Coordinates of all heavy atoms in Angstrom, one line a residue:
S26 N -1.1 4.8 32.9 CA -0.8 3.7 32.0 C -1.2 2.4 32.6 O -1.1 2.2 33.8 CB 0.7 3.7 31.6 OG 1.0 2.6 30.7
G27 N -1.7 1.5 31.7 CA -1.9 0.1 32.2 C -3.3 -0.2 32.7 O -3.6 -1.3 33.2
Q28 N -4.2 0.8 32.6 CA -5.6 0.5 33.1 C -6.5 1.3 32.3 O -6.2 2.4 31.7 CB -5.7 0.9 34.6 CG -5.5 2.4 34.9 CD -5.6 2.7 36.4 OE1 -5.0 2.0 37.2 NE2 -6.4 3.7 36.8
Y29 N -7.7 0.8 32.1 CA -8.8 1.5 31.3 C -9.1 2.8 32.0 O -9.1 2.9 33.2 CB -10.0 0.6 31.2 CG -9.9 -0.7 30.5 CD1 -10.1 -1.9 31.1 CD2 -9.5 -0.7 29.2 CE1 -10.0 -3.1 30.5 CE2 -9.3 -1.9 28.5 CZ -9.6 -3.1 29.1 OH -9.4 -4.3 28.5
F30 N -9.4 3.8 31.1 CA -9.8 5.1 31.6 C -11.3 5.2 31.5 O -11.9 5.6 30.5 CB -9.1 6.2 30.7 CG -9.4 7.6 31.2 CD1 -9.7 7.9 32.5 CD2 -9.4 8.6 30.3 CE1 -9.9 9.2 32.9 CE2 -9.6 10.0 30.7 CZ -9.9 10.2 32.0
I31 N -12.0 4.7 32.5 CA -13.5 4.7 32.6 C -14.0 6.0 33.2 O -13.6 6.3 34.3 CB -13.9 3.4 33.3 CG1 -13.4 2.2 32.7 CG2 -15.5 3.4 33.4 CD1 -13.7 0.9 33.5
Q32 N -14.9 6.6 32.4 CA -15.4 7.9 32.9 C -16.9 7.8 33.1 O -17.7 7.3 32.2 CB -15.1 9.0 31.8 CG -13.6 9.1 31.5 CD -13.3 10.1 30.5 OE1 -13.6 11.3 30.6 NE2 -12.7 9.7 29.4
G33 N -17.4 8.2 34.3 CA -18.8 8.1 34.6 C -19.5 9.4 34.2 O -19.1 10.1 33.3
G34 N -20.6 9.7 34.9 CA -21.4 10.9 34.5 C -22.4 10.6 33.5 O -22.5 9.5 32.9
D35 N -23.1 11.7 33.1 CA -24.2 11.6 32.1 C -23.5 11.3 30.8 O -22.4 11.8 30.5 CB -24.9 12.9 32.0 CG -26.2 12.8 31.1 OD1 -26.0 13.0 29.9 OD2 -27.2 12.4 31.6
E36 N -24.2 10.5 29.9 CA -23.6 10.1 28.7 C -23.4 11.2 27.7 O -22.7 11.2 26.7 CB -24.5 9.0 28.0 CG -25.8 9.4 27.6 CD -26.6 8.4 26.8 OE1 -26.1 7.2 26.7 OE2 -27.8 8.6 26.4
S37 N -24.1 12.4 28.0 CA -24.0 13.5 27.1 C -22.8 14.4 27.5 O -22.5 15.4 26.8 CB -25.3 14.3 27.1 OG -25.5 14.8 28.4
E38 N -22.2 14.2 28.7 CA -21.1 15.0 29.1 C -19.8 14.8 28.3 O -19.5 13.6 27.9 CB -20.7 14.7 30.6 CG -21.8 15.1 31.6 CD -21.4 14.8 33.0 OE1 -20.2 14.4 33.2 OE2 -22.3 14.9 33.9
E39 N -19.1 15.8 28.0 CA -17.9 15.7 27.2 C -16.8 14.9 28.0 O -16.6 15.1 29.2 CB -17.3 17.1 26.9 CG -16.1 17.0 26.0 CD -15.7 18.4 25.5 OE1 -16.5 19.2 25.1 OE2 -14.4 18.6 25.4
K40 N -16.2 14.0 27.3 CA -15.2 13.1 28.0 C -13.8 13.6 27.8 O -13.5 14.2 26.7 CB -15.4 11.7 27.5 CG -16.8 11.1 27.5 CD -17.3 11.0 28.9 CE -18.7 10.4 28.9 NZ -19.3 10.4 30.3
K41 N -13.0 13.3 28.7 CA -11.6 13.7 28.6 C -10.9 12.6 27.7 O -11.2 11.5 27.7 CB -10.9 13.8 29.9 CG -11.5 14.9 30.8 CD -10.8 15.0 32.2 CE -11.5 16.1 33.0 NZ -10.9 16.1 34.4
A42 N -9.8 13.0 27.1 CA -9.0 12.1 26.2 C -7.6 12.1 26.7 O -7.0 13.1 27.1 CB -9.1 12.5 24.8
C43 N -7.0 10.9 26.6 CA -5.6 10.7 27.0 C -4.6 11.2 25.9 O -4.9 11.0 24.7 CB -5.3 9.3 27.4 SG -6.3 8.7 28.8
Q44 N -3.5 11.7 26.3 CA -2.5 12.2 25.4 C -1.8 11.0 24.7 O -1.5 10.0 25.3 CB -1.4 13.0 26.1 CG -1.9 14.3 26.7 CD -0.8 15.0 27.5 OE1 0.4 14.6 27.4 NE2 -1.1 16.1 28.1
F45 N -1.7 11.1 23.4 CA -0.9 10.2 22.6 C 0.0 11.1 21.8 O -0.4 11.6 20.7 CB -1.6 9.2 21.7 CG -0.8 8.2 21.1 CD1 -0.7 6.9 21.7 CD2 0.1 8.4 20.0 CE1 0.1 5.9 21.1 CE2 0.9 7.5 19.5 CZ 0.9 6.2 20.1
K46 N 1.2 11.3 22.3 CA 2.2 12.2 21.6 C 3.0 11.5 20.5 O 3.3 10.3 20.7 CB 3.2 12.8 22.6 CG 2.5 13.6 23.7 CD 3.5 14.1 24.7 CE 2.9 14.9 25.8 NZ 4.0 15.4 26.8
R47 N 3.2 12.1 19.4 CA 4.0 11.5 18.3 C 5.4 11.1 18.8 O 6.0 10.2 18.2 CB 4.0 12.3 17.1 CG 4.7 13.6 17.2 CD 4.6 14.5 15.9 NE 5.1 13.9 14.7 CZ 5.0 14.4 13.5 NH1 4.3 15.5 13.3 NH2 5.5 13.8 12.5
S48 N 5.9 11.8 19.8 CA 7.2 11.5 20.2 C 7.3 10.0 20.8 O 8.4 9.4 20.9 CB 7.7 12.5 21.3 OG 6.8 12.5 22.4
L49 N 6.1 9.5 21.2 CA 6.1 8.1 21.7 C 6.5 7.1 20.6 O 6.9 6.0 20.9 CB 4.7 7.7 22.2 CG 4.2 8.4 23.4 CD1 2.7 8.1 23.7 CD2 5.0 8.0 24.6
L50 N 6.4 7.6 19.3 CA 6.7 6.7 18.2 C 8.2 6.6 17.9 O 8.6 5.9 17.0 CB 6.0 7.1 17.0 CG 4.4 7.2 17.1 CD1 3.8 7.7 15.8 CD2 3.9 5.8 17.4
Q51 N 9.0 7.4 18.7 CA 10.4 7.4 18.6 C 11.0 7.5 17.2 O 10.8 8.5 16.6 CB 10.9 6.1 19.4 CG 10.5 6.1 20.8 CD 11.0 4.8 21.6 OE1 12.1 4.4 21.5 NE2 10.1 4.2 22.3
N52 N 11.7 6.4 16.7 CA 12.3 6.5 15.4 C 11.3 6.6 14.3 O 11.7 6.9 13.1 CB 13.1 5.2 15.1 CG 14.4 5.2 16.0 OD1 14.8 6.2 16.6 ND2 14.9 4.0 16.2
C53 N 10.0 6.4 14.6 CA 9.0 6.6 13.6 C 8.1 7.8 13.8 O 7.0 7.9 13.3 CB 8.1 5.3 13.5 SG 8.9 3.9 12.8
S54 N 8.6 8.7 14.6 CA 7.8 9.9 14.9 C 7.9 11.0 13.8 O 7.1 11.9 13.8 CB 8.2 10.5 16.3 OG 9.6 11.0 16.2
G55 N 9.0 10.9 13.0 CA 9.2 12.0 12.0 C 9.9 13.2 12.6 O 10.0 14.2 11.9
I56 N 10.3 13.1 13.9 CA 10.9 14.3 14.6 C 12.4 14.3 14.3 O 12.9 15.3 13.7 CB 10.6 14.2 16.1 CG1 9.1 14.3 16.3 CG2 11.4 15.4 16.8 CD1 8.7 14.1 17.8
E57 N 13.1 13.2 14.6 CA 14.5 13.2 14.3 C 14.8 12.9 12.9 O 15.8 13.4 12.3 CB 15.2 12.2 15.3 CG 15.2 12.6 16.7 CD 16.0 11.7 17.6 OE1 16.7 10.8 17.0 OE2 16.0 11.8 18.8
D58 N 14.0 12.0 12.3 CA 14.2 11.6 10.9 C 12.9 12.0 10.2 O 11.9 11.3 10.2 CB 14.4 10.1 10.7 CG 14.5 9.7 9.3 OD1 14.5 10.6 8.4 OD2 14.5 8.5 9.0
P59 N 12.9 13.2 9.5 CA 11.6 13.7 8.9 C 11.2 12.8 7.7 O 10.1 13.0 7.2 CB 12.0 15.1 8.4 CG 13.2 15.5 9.2 CD 14.0 14.2 9.5
T60 N 12.0 11.9 7.3 CA 11.6 11.0 6.2 C 11.0 9.6 6.7 O 10.7 8.8 5.8 CB 12.8 10.7 5.2 OG1 13.7 9.8 5.8 CG2 13.4 12.0 4.8
F61 N 10.9 9.5 8.0 CA 10.4 8.2 8.5 C 11.1 7.0 8.0 O 10.5 5.9 7.9 CB 8.9 8.1 8.2 CG 8.0 9.2 8.8 CD1 7.7 10.3 8.0 CD2 7.6 9.2 10.1 CE1 6.9 11.4 8.5 CE2 6.8 10.2 10.6 CZ 6.5 11.3 9.8
G62 N 12.4 7.1 7.7 CA 13.2 6.0 7.3 C 13.1 5.7 5.8 O 13.9 4.8 5.3
Y63 N 12.2 6.3 5.1 CA 12.0 6.0 3.7 C 13.3 6.4 2.9 O 13.6 5.7 1.9 CB 10.8 6.7 3.1 CG 9.5 6.1 3.5 CD1 9.0 6.3 4.8 CD2 8.8 5.3 2.7 CE1 7.8 5.7 5.2 CE2 7.6 4.7 3.1 CZ 7.1 4.9 4.3 OH 5.9 4.3 4.7
S64 N 14.0 7.4 3.3 CA 15.2 7.8 2.5 C 16.3 6.8 2.7 O 17.3 6.8 1.9 CB 15.7 9.2 3.0 OG 16.0 9.1 4.4
R65 N 16.2 5.9 3.7 CA 17.2 4.9 3.9 C 16.7 3.5 3.5 O 17.4 2.5 3.7 CB 17.6 4.9 5.4 CG 18.1 6.2 5.9 CD 18.8 6.1 7.2 NE 17.9 5.3 8.2 CZ 17.0 5.9 8.9 NH1 16.7 7.2 8.8 NH2 16.2 5.2 9.7
G66 N 15.5 3.4 3.0 CA 15.0 2.1 2.7 C 14.5 1.3 3.9 O 14.5 0.1 3.9
Q67 N 14.2 2.0 5.0 CA 13.7 1.4 6.2 C 12.4 2.1 6.7 O 12.4 2.8 7.6 CB 14.8 1.5 7.3 CG 16.1 0.9 7.0 CD 17.1 1.0 8.1 OE1 17.1 2.0 8.9 NE2 18.0 0.1 8.2
P68 N 11.4 1.8 5.9 CA 10.1 2.6 6.1 C 9.4 2.3 7.4 O 9.4 1.2 7.9 CB 9.3 2.2 4.9 CG 9.7 0.8 4.6 CD 11.2 0.8 4.9
C69 N 8.8 3.3 7.9 CA 7.8 3.2 9.1 C 6.4 3.2 8.5 O 6.0 3.9 7.6 CB 8.0 4.4 10.0 SG 9.5 4.5 10.9
I70 N 5.6 2.3 9.1 CA 4.2 2.2 8.8 C 3.4 2.2 10.1 O 3.8 1.5 11.1 CB 3.9 0.9 8.0 CG1 4.6 1.0 6.6 CG2 2.4 0.7 7.8 CD1 4.5 -0.3 5.8
L71 N 2.3 2.9 10.2 CA 1.6 3.1 11.4 C 0.3 2.2 11.3 O -0.3 2.0 10.3 CB 1.1 4.5 11.6 CG 2.2 5.6 11.6 CD1 1.7 7.0 11.7 CD2 3.3 5.3 12.7
L72 N 0.0 1.6 12.4 CA -1.2 0.7 12.5 C -2.1 1.2 13.6 O -1.7 1.6 14.7 CB -0.7 -0.7 12.9 CG -1.8 -1.8 13.0 CD1 -2.1 -2.2 11.5 CD2 -1.4 -3.0 13.8
K73 N -3.4 1.3 13.3 CA -4.4 1.8 14.2 C -5.6 0.9 14.2 O -6.0 0.3 13.1 CB -4.8 3.2 14.0 CG -5.7 3.5 12.8 CD -6.0 5.0 12.7 CE -7.1 5.2 11.8 NZ -8.4 4.8 12.3

């Protein structure tokens, strides 16, 4: 965490990708609250 993941090698080589787990979204992950807060009038919205 906290630094760019710069990968060398030939540009045609397959690159590795970093994990982004939905559990990182905590109350907005849909794991503990499958309604993402909508059932309580506290909606989660994702930004990318």
Side-chain angles (χ1 to χ4, degrees):
S26 179
Q28 64 184 48
Y29 296 121
F30 184 28
I31 299 172
Q32 304 178 62
D35 190 271
E36 65 177 1
S37 63
E38 291 180 10
E39 185 173 319
K40 308 300 182 184
K41 297 178 181 179
C43 297
Q44 295 177 6
F45 190 100
K46 300 178 181 179
R47 67 187 296 174
S48 58
L49 292 173
L50 301 176
Q51 300 180 47
N52 292 340
C53 287
S54 66
I56 297 173
E57 292 187 6
D58 177 9
T60 72
F61 299 96
Y63 284 80
S64 63
R65 304 191 310 276
Q67 299 179 332
C69 289
I70 296 175
L71 306 177
L72 185 77
K73 74 179 191 73

